[in-house]
Amino acid sequence: MKRIALAFGVCVAALAHAAPIEVRDALGRTVVLPAPPQRLVTIFASNTELVAALGLVDRIVGVEEYTRFPQEAAAKPKVGGRLGFSVDAVVAQRPDLVIVTPARQAAHQLVDPMERLGVPVIVLLSRSVGEVLDNIRLIGRATGVSERGDALAQSLQVRLDRVAQQVAGRPAPRIVMVTGRVGNGMLLVARSDTYTGEAMVLAGGRFAIAGRGAVAQVSPEAILASNPDVLLFAGTQAALDDLVQLPGWRDMRAVREQRAVTVSRSEFLIPGPRTIDGIESLARWLHPVKASP
């Protein structure tokens, strides 16, 4: 019994003197964690899904109001939403790490106040599919599950490599992916400098609207003029049907040839492991494997 007690004491002492975890986030900030955090507040669905994919949903103690997936995370206490985030609501959950993305001013509202209170904050960006995989590795290290993070990122990369082999040498159809509509009649489209646009290319497509770069809003006329081979709509079938009722859209090549389809918003507009699901599904649709005779 004395030997067991001594061994336990050594383990406790080792944990107490374990080296702190140090990571560098998307803003170039060095974040030091004295120990693997056990109470996480995840701001935005992408960060919540990333933590859940690492098997750490039980550590999440707070999320934003519009979290929907996974179901067990959606039931967590809310700390804000589209109108802003409450420092008091975050602090009330006693987090030892806040994970945030600088959208809708979330980073500006939370990083400085959390730092003043001594709560570590990691800021993530997801500007490319590769950066999504890097985020998985980073959060794996930050939460003390480095091997799990590396394994998950590697498994996703293997799937991407498999898609690359599938689409290699196949003609890439010209695609427009509409991601939303705005009140002035303009349409939001996937851009080439985003993870959504990259996902579309990785699936074996290419951009029908050339040179748009950072422009997210385009006119319906610009899309009609591009006359894409494929029209993707990130939303419901009813919303797509409503869109193609606009004047001239029935004459678009993609609509005439019945290559106007919906894609999952969660797979293409939330940067996380499910984005790989979307890439695989789109690749299979764009480049179906021919059955053996």
Side-chain angles (χ1 to χ4, degrees):
M1 182 66 71
K2 184 176 181 180
R3 184 178 301 170
I4 295 175
L6 178 61
F8 178 76
V10 170
C11 291
V12 171
L15 288 173
H17 294 89
I21 300 169
E22 185 174 304
V23 298
R24 197 169 182 85
D25 75 0
L27 300 184
R29 300 164 56 253
T30 297
V31 181
V32 179
L33 301 155
Q38 302 300 310
R39 299 182 62 81
L40 311 176
V41 169
T42 53
I43 305 296
F44 298 124
S46 56
N47 299 324
T48 301
E49 292 194 21
L50 189 158
V51 170
L54 289 169
L56 304 177
V57 70
D58 289 344
R59 296 194 198 180
I60 298 175
V61 296
V63 297
E64 76 154 321
E65 183 177 349
Y66 293 94
T67 298
R68 297 290 182 267
F69 181 89
Q71 186 173 359
E72 56 267 42
K76 303 285 184 176
K78 306 302 185 290
V79 298
R82 296 192 186 282
L83 298 181
F85 296 88
S86 167
V87 172
D88 291 340
V90 173
V91 172
Q93 303 310 319
R94 298 178 291 110
D96 44 17
L97 177 63
V98 176
I99 304 172
V100 64
T101 294
R104 301 201 299 271
Q105 303 302 310
H108 300 292
Q109 292 173 352
L110 294 174
V111 173
D112 288 343
M114 291 298 106
E115 286 185 331
R116 287 196 295 270
L117 293 169
V119 179
V121 180
I122 290 177
V123 180
L124 300 181
L125 288 172
S126 300
R127 295 162 293 191
S128 68
V129 175
E131 198 163 38
V132 172
L133 301 188
D134 288 341
N135 289 343
I136 292 171
R137 297 185 185 96
L138 187 152
I139 296 302
R141 292 197 305 274
T143 54
V145 293
S146 294
E147 291 184 1
R148 196 182 304 175
D150 291 343
L152 175 57
Q154 179 59 29
S155 68
L156 296 174
Q157 184 61 58
V158 167
R159 291 166 60 188
L160 287 172
D161 293 343
R162 191 178 300 127
V163 170
Q165 293 176 355
Q166 174 188 339
V167 305
R170 306 286 292 273
R174 299 168 58 257
I175 300 175
V176 169
M177 180 187 291
V178 176
T179 61
R181 301 175 70 173
V182 290
N184 60 4
M186 301 286 277
L187 298 168
L188 300 175
V189 298
R191 299 169 292 166
S192 60
D193 60 343
T194 64
Y195 76 93
T196 301
E198 184 185 4
M200 188 179 78
V201 173
L202 290 173
R206 58 191 174 105
F207 290 93
I209 303 178
R212 288 289 172 177
V215 179
Q217 295 187 24
V218 300
S219 67
E221 292 75 19
I223 296 178
L224 287 173
S226 72
N227 198 22
D229 303 313
V230 172
L231 175 66
L232 304 177
F233 184 84
T236 66
Q237 184 63 48
L240 173 59
D241 292 342
D242 183 60
L243 177 64
V244 299
Q245 295 300 323
L246 294 174
W249 283 62
R250 289 292 182 185
D251 297 325
M252 182 189 295
R253 178 184 295 111
V255 176
R256 289 199 321 268
E257 297 180 359
Q258 298 184 338
R259 291 176 66 80
V261 297
T262 62
V263 294
S264 168
R265 291 182 66 84
S266 63
E267 292 177 349
F268 284 96
L269 302 187
I270 298 177
R274 290 197 290 173
T275 298
I276 312 305
D277 298 339
I279 292 171
E280 289 175 328
S281 297
L282 181 56
R284 286 193 298 269
W285 187 81
L286 291 175
H287 304 286
V289 177
K290 295 181 179 180
S292 301

